[in-house]
Amino acid sequence: MSREALRKLLHRKGLSWTRPTYTLAKGDPDRQKHFKKQMDLIKKLNRSRFRPVVHR
């Protein structure tokens, strides 16, 4: 069945095609703080461990 045929069938039945909408669950502030601390630590470690290579 083609998209157009499906659209016409839905239209005849008084329906229309819509994409699903997503609702995000409210985040846990404590887990977000913990995650941010972990990311800051990872960034800090990466900066100290890996120096950018500069080609001249």
Side-chain angles (χ1 to χ4, degrees):
M1 180 176 267
S2 69
R3 286 184 185 188
E4 186 61 18
L6 181 57
R7 187 193 67 77
K8 287 179 180 180
L9 175 66
L10 289 172
H11 183 72
R12 281 195 304 266
K13 299 290 184 180
L15 302 171
S16 64
W17 173 261
T18 59
R19 293 189 179 262
T21 56
Y22 299 98
T23 55
L24 299 176
K26 185 169 174 85
D28 181 8
D30 292 333
R31 288 184 70 190
Q32 290 176 351
K33 286 178 188 175
H34 181 69
F35 177 78
K36 185 171 181 346
K37 285 180 184 178
Q38 287 179 328
M39 288 304 297
D40 290 341
L41 179 62
I42 291 169
K43 289 176 186 177
K44 184 178 178 182
L45 288 173
N46 280 338
R47 271 186 259 141
S48 65
R49 193 178 300 165
F50 300 107
R51 301 283 180 200
V53 177
V54 178
H55 296 283
R56 295 179 190 198

